[in-house]
Amino acid sequence: MRIIVYGSLRRKQGNSHWMTNAQWLGDHELDGYALYDLGHYPAAIPGEGKIYCEVYRINSSIMAELDELKSNTKDYRRELISTPYGSAWIYLYIRSLEGMERIEGGDWVKRAEEEK
């Protein structure tokens, strides 16, 4: 199975240790989604724009760990989408984003550069 990640699970980010045993397949620009800054992690929702992601091959135990990580907040739902590497799971935000700042460039890693 595959997962597509766009924020703190990406390489060299705060939660990348969760992906230690995953196989990186490549980067992907995902069209039709918007990215928002929630502080320590982002939120992706369907919308205008594109977001920069990484696609990984994972096993069921990594998926279970990620489901547990995401279900602790009850803010995300997992959805299957199409990527150049095959279908992959993505976690989409399900709460209101009113008052949250959109990351216009769609790249969590480069968000600080946008603020300048």
Side-chain angles (χ1 to χ4, degrees), residues 14-49:
N15 282 326
S16 63
H17 62 277
W18 291 94
M19 305 305 287
T20 301
N21 294 318
Q23 177 191 3
W24 177 75
L25 298 175
D27 296 328
H28 179 53
E29 292 179 17
L30 186 59
D31 287 319
Y33 291 84
L35 197 62
Y36 288 83
D37 190 343
L38 301 181
H40 295 293
Y41 52 90
I45 61 168
E48 289 194 21

Side-chain angles (χ1 to χ4, degrees), residues 90-104:
I90 188 171
Y91 290 96
L92 298 175
Y93 199 70
I94 58 172
R95 304 272 185 230
S96 170
L97 288 165
E98 187 174 331
M100 296 294 147
E101 185 176 339
R102 182 169 176 177
I103 301 170
E104 294 297 335

Side-chain angles (χ1 to χ4, degrees), residues 1-20:
M1 71 182 70
R2 285 171 293 279
I3 189 158
I4 187 165
V5 298
Y6 51 81
S8 65
L9 292 169
R10 286 174 63 186
R11 291 173 299 210
K12 299 179 183 172
Q13 297 304 300
N15 282 326
S16 63
H17 62 277
W18 291 94
M19 305 305 287
T20 301

Side-chain angles (χ1 to χ4, degrees), residues 27-89:
D27 296 328
H28 179 53
E29 292 179 17
L30 186 59
D31 287 319
Y33 291 84
L35 197 62
Y36 288 83
D37 190 343
L38 301 181
H40 295 293
Y41 52 90
I45 61 168
E48 289 194 21
K50 66 180 160 190
I51 60 176
Y52 293 86
C53 306
E54 297 170 2
V55 182
Y56 291 86
R57 178 171 285 115
I58 60 172
N59 59 33
S60 57
S61 107
I62 294 172
M63 180 60 80
E65 290 173 355
L66 294 176
D67 280 346
E68 181 68 25
L69 174 70
K70 297 296 186 178
S71 71
N72 284 338
T73 65
K74 305 224 183 318
D75 294 337
Y76 294 87
R77 79 168 184 279
R78 184 162 46 99
E79 188 173 294
L80 199 57
I81 62 167
S82 184
T83 78
Y85 308 97
S87 47
W89 292 104

